[in-house]
Amino acid sequence: MLSNLEGTLLALREGSRALELTQEATVDTMASLAEYRDNETGNHIIRTRHYVHLLARQLQQTSAGVACLDDSAVELLARSAPLHDIGKIGVPDEILLKPGRLTSEKFEEMKKHAEHGKDALMHAKAKLGDNHFLQLAAEIAWTHHEKWDGSGYPRGLSGEDIPLSGRIMAVADVYDALISRRVYKDASTHEQAMAYILDHSGSQFDPEVVRALQAVAEDFRTIARRFSDE
């Protein structure tokens, strides 16, 4: 028979796990709202979550990750990753669902999804108080389209001024976009996606994150196959 203390500790652990499962379900639901509107991405949020987890784990072993990527940070990154495109909810259907490439004017409107996502998540954080999960999710949503050389959006950040979370998400997101079929393009192979990212290391992507990708490239291929849209 459990003592009062043991019973209390068990209840706390069960309550903590229930809260974690509720958080995961809420995140998946929120992320799916954006993905369903996009109507193209299928298992994109599942794949990118796994990619981010792999990259963060690999970076833990480097000087770039030692200072900021403990086990709890890695898990938090992976749980936050599905919300990277939540801001698409604020993009008009005529732009989000357009079958083909966007005009420069419409692309400027599409780019606002990074700001929309950050604003929505920070609004939720303001209501909930100090919440590291929502803070990180907002950071990812806001910065995953920034580029290492400063040519990205929405703020034109460069180098290590881009949060590590955004730099990791950028590699995961682009890899998955390349291997996914769209109405205006065929899916690239794993090799083609890897070649693109390697070619843009130091311009679009953080070279350290690209090196991490090279180390786990076969795991990326496995995840892409396991959670294929086909």
Side-chain angles (χ1 to χ4, degrees):
M1 185 174 180
L2 290 175
S3 68
N4 287 340
L5 177 59
E6 289 172 324
T8 299
L9 290 174
L10 179 60
L12 286 172
R13 284 195 293 269
E14 290 177 345
S16 177
R17 179 55 182 157
L19 181 61
E20 184 178 325
L21 288 172
T22 300
Q23 184 187 72
E24 289 178 3
T26 301
V27 168
D28 286 348
T29 300
M30 291 173 66
S32 293
L33 288 173
E35 303 305 336
Y36 288 149
R37 284 203 64 224
D38 198 339
N39 210 23
E40 287 276 7
T41 51
N43 287 326
H44 173 70
I45 59 174
I46 297 173
R47 292 191 297 267
T48 50
R49 175 193 286 157
H50 285 292
Y51 298 151
V52 165
H53 192 265
L54 275 171
L55 290 172
R57 280 285 179 214
Q58 184 62 32
L59 284 166
Q60 267 190 313
Q61 304 172 33
T62 70
S63 58
V66 167
C68 58
L69 287 175
D70 58 18
D71 288 345
S72 61
V74 170
E75 297 306 317
L76 198 60
L77 269 170
R79 290 207 308 271
S80 302
L83 293 174
H84 66 281
D85 274 339
I86 190 67
K88 285 182 177 179
I89 291 174
V91 178
D93 284 348
E94 65 183 44
I95 294 173
L96 192 64
L97 302 180
K98 184 179 184 296
R101 295 191 180 277
L102 298 173
T103 64
S104 57
E105 181 181 349
K106 290 186 183 298
F107 184 60
E108 287 301 313
E109 190 65 31
M110 172 64 111
K111 284 160 59 172
K112 293 179 182 178
H113 81 274
E115 295 273 4
H116 295 328
K118 183 265 295 183
D119 290 345
L121 291 164
M122 291 303 290
H123 180 72
K125 177 182 177 295
K127 288 184 174 294
L128 294 174
D130 190 19
N131 187 300
H132 296 301
F133 168 75
L134 288 174
Q135 176 75 41
L136 184 60
E139 181 180 274
I140 291 172
W142 200 18
T143 64
H144 73 285
H145 286 295
E146 301 287 0
K147 296 182 180 180
W148 187 253
D149 64 4
S151 64
Y153 65 88
R155 290 181 292 164
L157 300 179
S158 64
E160 294 186 0
D161 286 340
I162 306 168
L164 181 58
S165 61
R167 287 179 265 150
I168 292 172
M169 190 72 237
V171 170
D173 193 37
V174 170
Y175 173 86
D176 201 67
L178 289 169
I179 65 159
S180 299
R181 180 179 291 108
R182 294 288 183 265
V183 293
Y184 54 84
K185 77 172 187 70
D186 292 329
S188 297
T189 65
H190 167 79
E191 289 77 14
Q192 289 169 333
M194 288 295 300
Y196 176 90
I197 292 173
L198 289 174
D199 285 347
H200 291 80
S201 177
S203 55
Q204 185 170 352
F205 307 110
D206 177 352
E208 194 71 36
V209 180
V210 174
R211 281 191 284 273
L213 170 62
Q214 289 179 279
V216 295
E218 287 306 309
D219 295 309
F220 265 53
R221 189 202 299 268
T222 298
I223 289 166
R225 287 173 173 168
R226 181 182 177 189
F227 299 105
S228 170
D229 291 332
E230 299 301 322

